[in-house]
Amino acid sequence: MPSADRQRPPSDTIAAVATPPGRGGVAIVRVSGPLASRVAKALTGRQPAPRAVAHCEARDAGGQVVDRGLALWFPAPHSYTGEDVFEFQGHGGPAVSGEVLRACLAAGARPAQAGEFTRRAVLNDTLDRAQAEAVADLIDASSAEAARLAMRSLSGEFSSAIDALVRGLTELRALTEAMLDFPEEEVDALHVDDARRRLARIRSQLDEVLRQSRQGSLLREGVRVVIAGRPNVGKSSLLNRLAGDEVAIVTAIPGTTRDALREAIQIRGVPIHVVDTAGLRETGDAIEREGIARAWREVKAADVVLAVFEADRGIGPEDEEILRKLPSAARRLHVFNKVDLLADGRVERLAGEVPALRISARTGEGMDLLREAIVEAAGWQTGGESMFLARARHLEAIAAARGHLEAAAQHGRRWELFAEELRLAHAALSSITGEFSTDDLLGEIFSRFCIGK
Ligand SMILES: Nc1nc2c(ncn2[C@@H]2O[C@H](COP(=O)(O)OP(=O)(O)OP(=O)(O)O)[C@@H](O)[C@H]2O)c(=O)[nH]1
Ligand SMILES: [Mg+2]
């Protein structure tokens, strides 16, 4: 169902080099739009057969041969964009592909903007919006796991889960609208029961989609883990251990680290941004004070805080002072470092629910357990093969829908309010795949694409 704000498909023809800039085996020039056939003929001297490959020369506007390669022709609507698409696969040098592109522009195409091919696919209903985002996610995927999930979204698995919810809501809305036509006391108890049951079912389905989306979003966005604690407890040594490299300076002098230091690592495929910070203490040194202010800023933005202590000293008054100031929103792990210094292996533990880990950044002891604890604290669940590579905007929309369904459940027999909450939940969910979304959103989605996609 096309929405009212949906733009009419564009009538001009776009062209771009679709392969990355630089030298390579092949460069692909892609052309899409009503003039694609004219461009193909101007470039290759003939009209290529649909979905067949032709080996041919590419000529510029003056008839000069600029390249030899393969021509492909995908007539509308069976193409990536849903329009007529012509592709020329030539030699992969920037100068030669530039010449081919120039010839296409001379034949009537204009240069494509970033993401414009995929945008046309959405406007022509070849892809929905969540699938278009999956295209970008697939290209940007930095791990095999993220690529696998992006591929699943591109094949429409995420969209179908959302569509199933939308269908359930549409039915429930129709039922509710029918009930609105009757005075409250005449609404059949069976109808009321049916509506409640349906609502409960949709809510539990939605919770499952939200859970799967949160899991996937961890893979997409990664987790920000900040190492914090007193000077000299071994924070930088811990960063080096996690990174498997000597990225941070380690010395026996308290106050070594001044700036926040970042390293990107992966634990079980989950991207983790580890931040090492300046040791937290009162100090008269202006540079160190600035470092400590930065450390607190990092801590405030953390998903998981590793509060590091020295195992041989336990949690002292300064450590307690730091613990009191940690934000409550972030998950926290208590890490007792330097267990290699303990004769009996006993560690003072803090009572409470915060998991405590014993490690030695020097020997590597306890590091595996710490890595597991980090991904667990970040909300990663094992056996998470059924995940959706959700974006922040998807999570927000699902959470908003969840809030409206919860409100609907609380409206009892006030059917107008019930119906209104259902409508809002429906709108929130629909924004994920396309309906009800604005041009701003389209712009936002495609601004991060590369040219030629
Ligand atoms: N025995 C032992 N020493 C450690 C361990 N981890 C770190 N150290 C030592 O503790 C000292 C401080 O280590 P750093 O990693 O620089 O400590 P930090 O917390 O980053 O210190 P600041 O940057 O000053 O806040 C160094 O001499 C390290 O070699 C450990 O597991 N065992
Ligand atoms: Mg340090």
Side-chain angles (χ1 to χ4, degrees):
M1 182 174 65
S3 59
D5 65 317
R6 180 161 285 183
Q7 292 178 343
R8 292 234 311 279
S11 58
D12 55 354
T13 299
I14 53 175
V17 182
T19 36
R23 289 145 36 120
V26 183
I28 299 177
V29 174
R30 179 184 265 174
V31 183
S32 177
L35 297 183
S37 162
R38 192 167 104 189
V39 172
K41 276 185 238 158
L43 193 78
T44 66
R46 60 177 126 155
Q47 166 67 54
R51 292 175 298 281
V53 179
H55 186 233
C56 53
E57 288 173 338
R59 291 173 190 270
D60 66 13
Q64 189 98 358
V65 174
V66 290
D67 199 4
R68 284 176 73 84
L70 302 179
L72 294 100
W73 174 242
F74 305 97
H78 303 293
S79 71
Y80 180 69
T81 59
E83 303 175 326
D84 282 349
V85 169
F86 168 66
E87 281 186 12
F88 183 81
Q89 305 189 351
H91 292 91
V96 58
S97 56
E99 283 303 307
V100 174
L101 177 61
R102 235 186 313 282
C104 295
L105 301 181
R110 70 158 169 83
Q113 291 163 2
E116 208 174 356
F117 291 94
T118 308
R119 186 180 186 133
R120 289 189 170 195
V122 171
L123 292 172
N124 289 313
D125 284 328
T126 309
L127 295 175
D128 69 30
R129 280 169 206 190
Q131 287 174 309
E133 288 165 321
V135 170
D137 287 343
L138 186 59
I139 293 172
D140 291 341
S142 54
S143 68
E145 183 65 5
R148 188 179 67 81
L149 290 182
M151 199 50 229
R152 283 186 41 190
S153 290
L154 180 55
S155 10
E157 279 190 45
F158 180 53
S159 304
S160 348
I162 299 295
D163 287 346
L165 286 168
V166 168
R167 263 199 313 282
L169 264 176
T170 311
E171 285 167 19
L172 178 54
R173 284 185 68 195
L175 188 77
T176 314
E177 299 294 333
M179 296 189 331
L180 285 180
D181 296 339
F182 295 97
E184 197 175 288
E185 55 281 8
E186 282 175 30
V187 174
D188 190 338
L190 279 177
H191 269 104
V192 173
D193 275 358
D194 187 23
R196 296 249 157 80
R197 251 198 325 273
R198 281 168 186 264
L199 178 62
R201 194 163 54 226
I202 296 170
R203 288 181 71 192
S204 80
Q205 278 172 0
L206 186 116
D207 281 348
E208 178 56 18
V209 173
L210 185 57
R211 192 191 63 75
Q212 292 175 284
S213 304
R214 286 212 172 110
Q215 285 284 295
S217 114
L218 278 182
L219 268 191
R220 225 191 98 73
E221 312 292 337
V223 183
R224 189 197 275 255
V225 175
V226 176
I227 307 175
R230 275 189 301 111
N232 231 30
V233 292
K235 298 180 296 299
S236 301
S237 308
L238 174 54
L239 173 76
N240 291 348
R241 260 291 162 193
L242 286 169
D245 197 4
E246 300 299 309
V247 279
I249 300 174
V250 168
T251 74
I253 306 162
T256 302
T257 306
R258 301 296 176 88
D259 261 332
L261 234 96
R262 279 156 231 285
E263 264 306 292
I265 62 167
Q266 280 194 9
I267 303 176
R268 294 221 249 126
V270 182
I272 313 266
H273 313 286
V274 192
V275 187
D276 174 29
T277 60
L280 303 168
R281 65 170 170 184
E282 294 295 324
T283 174
D285 182 315
I287 303 172
E288 193 180 350
R289 248 203 331 266
E290 174 57 26
I292 291 169
R294 288 177 185 212
W296 279 115
R297 283 205 291 277
E298 294 294 338
V299 165
K300 300 238 152 71
D303 298 313
V304 177
V305 176
L306 303 184
V308 184
F309 318 106
E310 283 164 305
D312 53 333
R313 294 181 41 170
I315 294 180
E318 299 107 319
D319 300 307
E320 275 172 5
E321 181 62 30
I322 294 169
L323 285 176
R324 259 197 299 280
K325 288 204 237 158
L326 290 183
S328 48
R331 300 291 191 89
R332 195 194 295 178
L333 294 175
H334 289 173
V335 180
F336 293 87
N337 185 31
K338 309 193 186 181
V339 285
D340 54 292
L341 296 180
L342 296 177
D344 58 359
R346 205 177 65 84
V347 179
E348 293 289 331
R349 293 218 176 165
L350 188 75
E353 281 159 19
V354 181
L357 291 123
R358 309 151 29 100
I359 65 154
S360 167
R362 175 161 294 174
T363 65
E365 186 183 338
M367 288 302 296
D368 285 342
L369 282 177
L370 175 62
R371 287 192 190 92
E372 291 300 310
I374 290 173
V375 279
E376 194 179 309
W380 184 255
Q381 290 160 354
T382 42
E385 47 289 319
S386 54
M387 287 178 283
F388 297 126
L389 197 65
R391 297 186 164 209
R393 99 171 170 89
H394 303 151
L395 287 181
E396 280 160 25
I398 299 170
R402 188 173 189 270
H404 291 302
L405 293 183
E406 197 176 316
Q410 281 163 7
H411 279 316
R413 297 178 75 99
R414 290 145 77 197
W415 300 115
E416 293 82 5
L417 299 178
F418 186 87
E420 176 59 11
E421 294 295 348
L422 294 186
R423 188 185 70 75
L424 293 170
H426 188 170
L429 284 180
S430 300
S431 72
I432 294 175
T433 48
E435 281 175 67
F436 295 113
S437 48
T438 61
D439 279 349
D440 288 356
L441 182 60
L442 263 188
E444 159 72 21
I445 291 174
F446 295 110
S447 62
R448 285 182 242 141
F449 270 70
C450 38
I451 303 232
K453 194 65 218 181

